[in-house]
Amino acid sequence: MPRPRRPLIAGNWKMNGLLSDGVTLAGELVALMKGRLNPAFDMVVCPPFTVIADVGKAIAGSGIALGAQDCHAAEKGAHTGDISAVMLADLGCRFVIVGHSERRTNHGETDAIVKAKAEAVVSRRLTAIVCIGETEAERDAGNTLDVVKAQLAGSLPGKASAANVVVAYEPVWAIGTGRTPSDDEVQEVHALIRARLADALGAEEAARLRVLYGGSMKPDNAHALLALPDVDGGLIGGASLKSRDFWAIAESCL
Ligand code: PEP
């Protein structure tokens, strides 16, 4: 049976790589993409701010989209060190990750802040990759579904649609640890997210909106995760830094 949604394979390079590293990695992905007729997936790479412009040049025309890892909610002004969605659009970005757990934890980002950022992203006609996910303590306490529901409700932009939002379910305890929930646990959370999206946006829109899984997705577990009915791609950290691994994950989409 064909997939109801075209998978999105998103690479979050985090704070890794100097200019030459980013351009080299982008070039390797472009070469792999060139050798592939009719890929069964969309691909986006989200480099550090410092290399976005050069990576954008390296991937131009390849079919690989450009993204960023964060933005400020405001368009411009006195926000030292911040970058706006307008600036990212100006560089050619089409996607912006908002609410990654490392931003929530290290920078105190609340659902309200994440929602404001997501609204800034969609107002520039970019797509927000809105990250949500429980901590290990929350899972151990049996609160996973409640946490995910609350984060989703609090973080989605007002005018969310399948065209401007992708949700990424990323259990915090699975990020960078080599651990993942079981396939059934992942599907349970993704089904809940889709049901909540249907309540908020209507069943048709929810059926079109992509929900990614993130957290230690690797070539050896990608096939099973990407085959789950409500998993529409991956947000990949560590494995996105090696072109062969990232490509192998993408090729796991059937
Ligand atoms: C992430 O940080 O979004 C992530 C999924 O990281 P990793 O793949 O390394 O777990």
Side-chain angles (χ1 to χ4, degrees):
M1 213 172 68
R3 284 179 164 272
R5 294 160 292 274
R6 187 171 163 82
L8 176 65
I9 301 299
N12 174 11
W13 294 1
K14 308 196 188 192
M15 195 172 73
N16 290 298
L18 302 181
L19 195 50
S20 61
D21 304 312
V23 170
T24 300
L25 177 53
E28 289 168 3
L29 292 172
V30 168
L32 288 162
M33 192 62 116
K34 273 197 182 138
R36 180 72 164 86
L37 276 182
N38 302 322
F41 50 83
D42 293 332
M43 180 174 276
V44 54
V45 291
C46 303
F49 290 134
T50 48
V51 306
I52 286 178
D54 289 84
V55 168
K57 285 179 201 143
I59 63 177
S62 69
I64 302 172
L66 189 62
Q69 300 171 21
D70 181 42
C71 70
H72 195 277
E75 273 192 25
K76 61 179 179 175
H79 301 288
T80 303
D82 282 312
I83 301 284
S84 71
V86 188
M87 294 166 169
L88 296 172
D90 190 41
L91 288 181
C93 287
R94 288 182 36 220
F95 293 82
V96 183
I97 298 170
V98 294
H100 190 282
S101 67
E102 287 152 17
R103 301 288 317 172
R104 291 179 186 262
T105 304
N106 301 344
H107 299 270
E109 291 190 7
T110 60
D111 288 341
I113 292 172
V114 175
K115 176 178 177 153
K117 290 182 176 205
E119 285 183 339
V121 172
V122 307
S123 77
R124 303 318 303 178
R125 298 182 187 278
L126 308 180
T127 298
I129 302 178
V130 179
C131 300
I132 55 177
E134 82 286 358
T135 62
E136 185 152 35
E138 289 164 341
R139 177 164 281 269
D140 290 346
N143 293 333
T144 298
L145 300 184
D146 286 341
V147 168
V148 165
K149 262 190 258 179
Q151 284 187 354
L152 183 69
S155 307
L156 278 185
K159 291 187 181 144
S161 75
N164 62 23
V165 167
V166 171
V167 174
Y169 167 55
E170 299 208 301
V172 179
W173 54 273
I175 294 178
T177 60
R179 296 161 59 206
T180 61
S182 70
D183 294 345
D184 286 350
E185 287 166 341
V186 171
Q187 172 56 25
E188 180 185 31
V189 177
H190 278 240
L192 170 94
I193 292 170
R194 198 163 315 278
R196 287 287 151 165
L197 289 170
D199 293 342
L201 313 175
E204 274 187 27
E205 205 58 32
R208 282 196 289 265
L209 200 150
R210 293 187 283 198
V211 183
L212 313 185
Y213 170 78
S216 296
M217 192 183 270
K218 311 275 181 214
D220 61 356
N221 62 16
H223 181 78
L225 287 163
L226 293 167
L228 296 170
D230 284 296
V231 173
D232 310 313
L235 178 54
I236 297 123
S240 72
L241 295 172
K242 291 189 186 145
S243 57
R244 291 267 157 209
D245 286 355
F246 191 51
W247 190 259
I249 291 171
E251 288 284 24
S252 304
C253 298
L254 294 179

